[in-house]
Amino acid sequence: MALIVQKFGGTSVGSVERIQAVAQRVYKTVKAGNSIVVVVSAMGKTTDGLVKLAAEISKNPCRREMDMLLSTGEQVSIALLSMALQELGQPAISLTGAQVGIVTEAEHTRARILHIQTERVEKHIQEGKVVVVAGFQGISSTEKLEITTLGRGGSDTSAVAIAAALRANFCEIYTDVPGILTTDPRLVPEAQLMDEITCDEMLELASLGAKVLHPRAVEIARNYGVPLVVRSSWTEEPGTWVTSPPVKERSLINLEIARSVNDVQFDTNQARVSLLRVPDKPGVAARLFGEIARQEVDVDLIIQSIHEGNTNDIAFTVMTPILKKAEAVAAAIAPVLRTHKGTETTEAEVMVQQNIAKVSIAGAGMIGRPGVAAKMFATLAKAGVNIQMISTSEIKVSCVIDATECDRAVAALREAFEIDNTKTENFSASPSPRVFVSSSHTPPVRGVALDMNQARLAIRQVPDRPGLAANLFGLLAEKNISVDMIIQSQRCHLINGVPRRDIAFTVARIDAEEAQKMLQQVAAEYGWGEVALDQAIAKVSIVGAGMVGQPGVAAKMFSALAQHQINIQMITTSEIKISCVVAQEEGAKALQAIHAAFGLAGSEKFVVPA
């Protein structure tokens, strides 16, 4: 007999008929000999309706009262589902988040779970009851009993957290689609269903706007080793399993906030190749990395900075033993990229830097926590370490620094994030970083995602000295503004004797104007230039643990965009993700082109139910 946590979203319980269908599914699982805890969301568009009601009363409603209001939606669902189960002859009891004992931070509308008091749920399970739990909600403490909600995707988070606390055999997430698809079926109806995907890959896809699973839920599953499966509410298909690497026993106290960073990693066996002043037009990255792939040069980090005039810069890192080969490829293609064919031009200049190191912090607890990256940058600044390149993902932040500063940087990061020395990993001796892969037959790219909800801020002429990133991202963290892509330009200008670079980053569009206003107010104090905002962007990304050690993957992505005359405005990479910023109006076309290029389409068309 297994203990299973099942979660049903709003559309799954959107009507009486659908609630009865859910009850039949739960009843069938119980009759197969399993113990069941069911977590449900509010019916259909109930939450949207409650938000609209609040807006009619107040333009800026109190967060506490919003939690009081929004938490009522789930109470309707749990009561009706319990009644439906009882009508089938199955003992059931509905419990709110408070009654379950889901204790959270005292942070209204966006609380994180601290711990779950499971005694009451376990007692009802032993009595043979199905426990129906209100997702999305908890209480701030057992003394104050303030109702809190977990924010968007909160029911997913509730379900996986309960599964972790109860040490359930697995957690089933029931949704509108038959599992996790290679992309959004609303944009590509031929999107293919995956049998399984790693937690790391799912974290990246979820954070990019794939709405099947919320990143916080995946984070908990990864940290606690909760087997997770995403299935359709409407069929009996097996769905998609989200797999985790083996995990050590972890405290269930401070469940979502205990440790955001689990590891400090470094690699001193790297060099950087930069092409400065390449034309800002479609096809440039495709030609460069196409040639790199043909020469079988394996690239680690890739960044393309924002344009300056009609050119921009592309930089990439490689392992030191293949530097000469990488430099030769870049030098050979540089003349082809130049607009002016004369020998005196400074266009497409190749620069090489040896004796660099990459230091990284890694962990599944970084999601939506702007203070983590800011803390890393502040730690390096305090240690007098200047950052030359930055690469970010949902599970890792990496900085390229001078190799002579690596030991000092690693020691400072270990201390700041309280990481045992034995956990610090040196990747210098290995050909590529270790990434958990689900199967030896894993294709290089598992999914393509599009994020249309980001904006880009660019700060010109930022002094190039330690503390730059710490100051900038520390200010954003204080305002609770999360940053996604971060790009430092490779081109350096000497102005009044001070070396300066541009820095660009993306934030959620809803935070963009606040971030710009705040940074403009302090620009003079920190010696920054213009703070420019572009809200008409889209970010398209490929994700796959199998792309490690395959230099042709980036080239194929860039070529797909070039073939459709889509200009790449920014590039950033991690070990399992490559992201490009393109114009907003070209976002959907970019996703479709890349999905087709990697042959991810299946033969069946998926229609998302209304």
Side-chain angles (χ1 to χ4, degrees), residues 41-89:
S41 301
M43 293 176 66
K45 301 292 184 180
T46 297
T47 301
D48 291 341
L50 294 172
V51 170
K52 185 178 178 182
L53 282 174
E56 292 175 5
I57 295 291
S58 170
K59 290 183 179 179
N60 187 25
C62 167
R63 286 181 177 270
R64 179 188 184 277
E65 301 310 328
M66 283 301 293
D67 278 355
M68 290 292 286
L69 176 66
L70 297 184
S71 63
T72 63
E74 280 72 22
Q75 292 183 48
V76 174
S77 302
I78 60 174
L80 292 175
L81 181 55
S82 292
M83 293 175 191
L85 286 164
Q86 291 163 7
E87 285 297 304
L88 295 174

Side-chain angles (χ1 to χ4, degrees), residues 135-147:
F136 176 67
Q137 61 181 250
I139 52 170
S140 62
S141 71
T142 52
E143 292 80 31
K144 294 186 177 180
L145 300 177
E146 285 289 313
I147 293 175

Side-chain angles (χ1 to χ4, degrees), residues 2-58:
L3 171 58
I4 304 170
V5 175
Q6 297 181 330
K7 179 262 175 177
F8 293 90
T11 53
S12 301
V13 293
S15 66
V16 168
E17 293 74 21
R18 288 184 176 181
I19 288 173
Q20 289 171 330
V22 167
Q24 289 284 356
R25 185 185 282 268
V26 173
Y27 183 63
K28 181 179 178 181
T29 309
V30 174
K31 288 304 174 186
N34 302 295
S35 298
I36 304 295
V37 175
V38 184
V39 177
V40 294
S41 301
M43 293 176 66
K45 301 292 184 180
T46 297
T47 301
D48 291 341
L50 294 172
V51 170
K52 185 178 178 182
L53 282 174
E56 292 175 5
I57 295 291
S58 170

Side-chain angles (χ1 to χ4, degrees), residues 235-250:
T235 71
E236 297 297 328
E237 296 298 315
T240 305
W241 284 91
V242 183
T243 60
S244 301
V247 295
K248 294 181 180 179
E249 190 71 19
R250 185 180 176 119

Side-chain angles (χ1 to χ4, degrees), residues 325-356:
K325 191 174 183 181
E327 184 181 1
V329 173
I333 201 169
V336 181
L337 301 178
R338 291 172 185 154
T339 306
H340 303 91
K341 303 305 179 185
T343 57
E344 298 303 316
T345 181
T346 57
E347 287 184 315
E349 175 189 1
V350 179
M351 289 183 60
V352 174
Q353 183 181 1
Q354 299 188 58
N355 301 317
I356 62 170

Side-chain angles (χ1 to χ4, degrees), residues 140-179:
S140 62
S141 71
T142 52
E143 292 80 31
K144 294 186 177 180
L145 300 177
E146 285 289 313
I147 293 175
T148 55
T149 62
L150 309 182
R152 188 178 70 83
S155 293
D156 286 354
T157 305
S158 300
V160 182
I162 289 170
L166 292 172
R167 292 178 169 80
N169 294 84
F170 56 91
C171 178
E172 297 178 323
I173 305 290
Y174 286 91
T175 184
D176 296 337
V177 290

Side-chain angles (χ1 to χ4, degrees), residues 277-324:
R277 292 176 290 278
V278 298
D280 182 31
K281 63 182 182 182
V284 171
R287 294 188 74 169
L288 171 61
F289 289 98
E291 187 58 34
I292 285 172
R294 281 188 287 276
Q295 298 299 325
E296 297 185 341
V297 174
D298 192 15
V299 172
D300 185 5
L301 301 181
I302 302 171
I303 67 165
Q304 177 184 304
S305 55
I306 54 171
H307 68 88
E308 185 174 328
N310 60 356
T311 67
N312 52 32
D313 307 329
I314 299 177
F316 57 92
T317 62
V318 295
M319 304 295 281
T320 303
I322 61 171
L323 173 60
K324 291 296 183 184

